[in-house]
Amino acid sequence: MSKTPPGPKGEPLFGSSRTYARDPFRFISALERAYGDVARFDMGPMDTVMLCDPTAIERVLVSEADQFRKPDFQGDALGDLLGDGLLLSEGETWEQQRKLANPAFSMARLSGMADRITGHAKDRIADWSHGDVIDAEQSMTRVTLDVILDLMMGVELSEQRVQTIEEQLLPLGQRFEPDPIRFAMPQWMPMPDDAEFNRAVRTLDEVLDDIIEVREDSLGTDEDGPMDFLSVLLRARDDGNQSPEQLRDEMMTMLLAGHDTTALTLTYTWFLLSEHPEVEQRVHEELDEVIGDDRPGMEHVRELDYLEWVIQEAMRLYPPVYTIFREPTEDVTLSGYDVEAGTTLMVPQWGVHRSERFYDDPETFDPERWKPERANERPRFAYFPFGGGPRHCIGKHLAMLEAQLITATTASQYRLEFQGETPLELLPSLTAHPRQKMSMRVQER
């Protein structure tokens, strides 16, 4: 009996890549429903196995993580953008950089930063008025950029400079939208959008150079200096333990990955609250009870249980990172099927988070499914918005703290009513963005 995973038969040359590129979210869901734990398909020339078995996912991400590396497809563009930063580095380089980064992301440090996060949220909503129509995605992008620049780089940029960063996000994102032609072509083959992508990378490099220059005179020592990530890396560079190239790669990774997923989580949270007024009312009641007229802070976050469930449910339905890729370094058996070394493993949050095998009415927005007694009934890796194991997202505690404080600060004053069309359509890139402009009308509470 064959132990090769089952799956759809694709087209010559393209395999299933054209179907995937048209709508990755629908493709992933269809495969999960049809094949369950494991499905095999061709992504152009790439032999790909999609894994939706929580037990096998735990092996890949946690217990046997050293046997599964990050694949290098799209490596040229992603490498040009993020280089050897924490997201892409492997082995000793990753271990060294992760060790350097840990103090900047510790809860001990972040707990003391809660008031600064609230301050950035208050600054961004200060000029809102009843009846205004805002772009929620843009607003959340700007506030999360403010937070990552402050907490991890120790700078506050002018509005013009923040806008310069924001303007580069579109060409960067477009480069990583699924394209069956790119899947079929060698990585060195030039494509029409390469020039715009390269210009955007150069522009962000210039912004980072300016930030580093500003910070070089305010480092101090390990004992008395600031502990934002940039300061830690600059001190390591001065001690000979960090090259300029590595410093740049970490800052680019921090700038982009550090704000994008949180901005998306917030955007989808506002959308879901607008679509479910009964949930929104419960959030407001909890905020009024826990915070009242106070300024949201760390002491309140610990008591905002329902708000935390809302954010968790938003990340279940709309995981910003909708799939993770790995590659086995040797032949392995997963969920009873043989997978050869070098096969691309797709581990999709989108497919697992919306599976009927793990969630009742999986497409329904139900924050109460995160009550401990219900959540504990599910397998650990039926939910993994931040990945898992040693390579889990280092910023997950910061992301949750930001999401709770920014939502609490905003929702204490306003309701946001979605003005666009539903159902929401998604644009796949490295992360899942809404296709629609996220226009929302501001209503004073």
Side-chain angles (χ1 to χ4, degrees), residues 54 101 122 124 129 179 199 234 255 260 283 294 332 337 345 375 379 390 398 403 430 432 434:
K122 281 188 168 295
R124 283 295 175 184
S129 297
D179 182 344
R199 280 195 297 272
L234 286 171
L255 179 67
D260 182 48
V283 169
D294 291 345
V332 65
Y337 293 101
L345 284 179
L398 173 59
L430 292 176

Side-chain angles (χ1 to χ4, degrees), residues 263-288:
L264 289 170
T265 294
L266 287 160
T267 301
Y268 294 128
T269 297
W270 294 124
F271 168 73
L272 289 163
L273 288 175
S274 177
E275 295 294 293
H276 298 85
E278 73 287 354
V279 174
E280 181 187 54
Q281 180 61 34
R282 281 197 59 182
V283 169
H284 290 158
E285 289 171 357
E286 184 180 62
L287 292 176
D288 292 344

Side-chain angles (χ1 to χ4, degrees), residues 51 53-69 94 98 324-326 334 345 347 379-393 396:
L51 197 61
D53 173 8
T55 301
I57 292 170
E58 189 276 339
R59 287 178 58 197
V60 170
L61 298 182
V62 185
S63 61
E64 299 173 24
D66 58 345
Q67 298 178 37
F68 298 89
R69 65 189 175 201
W94 176 81
R98 183 79 176 214
I324 296 172
F325 291 97
R326 291 292 187 269
L334 293 170
L345 284 179
V347 185
R380 163 67 184 86
F381 278 89
Y383 180 74
F384 53 108
F386 297 107
R391 297 300 298 252
H392 74 270
C393 173
K396 68 177 184 178

Side-chain angles (χ1 to χ4, degrees), residues 7-23:
K9 183 177 177 61
E11 305 172 277
L13 181 63
F14 292 104
S16 297
S17 63
R18 293 205 287 194
T19 305
Y20 177 84
R22 279 194 294 272
D23 191 336

Side-chain angles (χ1 to χ4, degrees), residues 190-231:
M191 298 288 282
D193 57 353
D194 287 350
E196 192 173 4
F197 170 81
N198 292 332
R199 280 195 297 272
V201 174
R202 287 195 299 270
T203 299
L204 291 182
D205 279 335
E206 292 169 2
V207 172
L208 290 175
D209 287 343
D210 291 344
I211 291 172
I212 291 169
E213 183 177 353
V214 166
R215 291 302 318 286
E216 285 183 314
D217 295 330
S218 60
L219 299 183
T221 66
D222 287 335
E223 291 76 21
D224 63 8
M227 288 304 294
D228 60 88
F229 192 28
L230 177 53
S231 294

